[in-house]
Amino acid sequence: MKHFRALCALLTAAMAASFAGPAGALTGVSSWAEPDVVAATSAGLTPDTFAALSAKSSVSRAEFCAVALKLYEAERETQVPRTDQVYFDDCDDPDVNTAYEMDLISGRGSGVFAPEESVSRQDLCVILDSVREKCEVEKPETTVSADSFPDGGELRDYAVDATETMLSTGIIKGVETSLSNDPEQAGETVTLLEPQGTATREQALIMASRFLDTFDAEPLTPSDLMEDGALLAGADDPETEQPADEPDADEATDRAEEAEAEEPEEPEEAEEPEPDDDETLNLTMGEPVPVAGTVEEKMEEVFGAGGGYYTDQADAESHMVDVTVQVWSLLSSGQKTPAFKTITVNEAIADEVQAVFQEIFEGDEKFPIKDVGGYAWRSSEKSEHRQGTAIDINYMENMECTIDADGNVVRITTGTHWTPETDPYSIPAGGDVVRAFAAHGFAWGGDAWSSKRDYMHFSYFGT
């Protein structure tokens, strides 16, 4: 990843030397900042709301929330669905409310966020450090103390640790200021921390770009969003006991409930998703496609005789390999064109995975795949993603949801819909994708369990 970013930096520096700036980006970018701002834009860190705004004006609290989400998405190489819930009386911005759900930012209390206020340098460091923690990047050694700056005492207690982390990594730097207006001291400067000062939009992008170059986070597979708190619909879902042979309930609900508990004034309850009639009818499935092999046979194939699920991340990753597969990509014109995707899976099933995707590619449907994820170290010991034996496909269009005894949607937990009759990215029941996976021993979350549906999910052991 570092080598790739270094190459990007060279390319963007060349772009900055050749062009005045990317179309639709900030205006009036300082000449010294152009290479870094172009690099940030190329890395996807520039929010659409920055278009045509002054680069040298202070970045607002709401604007930096958008930058923080872009930074998280770039670090984890994923897309974060924006929430529909509103937690603040003075701000319904989806970026702000999503950042709050993810615990990247906090409000001012009493339902106030103050979205238009400039973000202070110390608060900017706190948000960046929250992104670091959310990306599960180990905290670096602190080598720069706030006390080394003449005004370090102005730093508030809550921001000391985060600010020193950002200083130690060079993501934020001191501000060189003239020592005095006295002509006899002309040219003498002092470096200040200025924790209560503000940052400009171009400075915010530069810091985000430095962050991306400094920290390497593990890519996030699409369904990791269930446990990572990025999509938190239906926070009021009552606790229900999950059958032992079905997947653990996602942890997103817990995150939402914590967020509501921290807010001094309780926000209005979000209405549960209202699926349309067609979608509801689709959830009552026919007979599942028969899945090849037994769980016992597969367990022995993957873990060896008497072996079991991995309990150590390093051990798990020593058994993972990258598999590159050919898929169909759907262009905006509606045309399908061949493309390639790389998936990390358990080495024991690498050949099976290769065969599955080859059969899908050769199928009559030419099913298009834009998102695919495999191995990811999860907190749940039951997670098949943690074993490298689960694969998710097109997560937004193949939702995960809980259902009642009649097959009706109770709550959508990940994704937005499953409409195979109208959406080409939704996986049809009994279609090429399901049949290919089943033939090679993978159960489909669209018909495998009685109390939930996970249409994106294919698992080797059926969990």
Side-chain angles (χ1 to χ4, degrees), residues 302-329:
V302 174
F303 303 114
Y309 278 13
Y310 303 120
T311 58
D312 178 76
Q313 184 174 357
D315 183 29
E317 293 180 353
S318 71
H319 293 280
M320 301 302 149
V321 295
D322 287 340
V323 175
T324 299
V325 297
Q326 194 167 23
V327 301
W328 289 105
S329 177

Side-chain angles (χ1 to χ4, degrees), residues 321-397:
V321 295
D322 287 340
V323 175
T324 299
V325 297
Q326 194 167 23
V327 301
W328 289 105
S329 177
L330 182 62
L331 304 180
S332 57
S333 63
Q335 179 183 354
K336 294 178 182 178
T337 182
F340 290 91
K341 298 285 186 183
T342 298
I343 319 165
T344 302
V345 298
N346 195 297
E347 60 188 356
I349 63 168
D351 290 343
E352 298 282 7
V353 171
Q354 188 79 54
V356 167
F357 281 88
Q358 188 62 33
E359 289 177 21
I360 295 172
F361 182 77
E362 294 175 354
D364 293 337
E365 293 176 11
K366 291 188 175 181
F367 183 81
I369 296 176
K370 65 175 180 177
D371 301 309
V372 61
Y375 166 77
W377 184 255
R378 299 280 185 80
S379 59
S380 172
E381 294 181 0
K382 293 182 179 181
S383 170
E384 282 205 48
H385 285 285
R386 177 165 158 165
Q387 317 311 317
T389 56
I391 292 174
D392 290 336
I393 294 176
N394 300 349
Y395 75 101
M396 288 299 290
E397 299 82 7

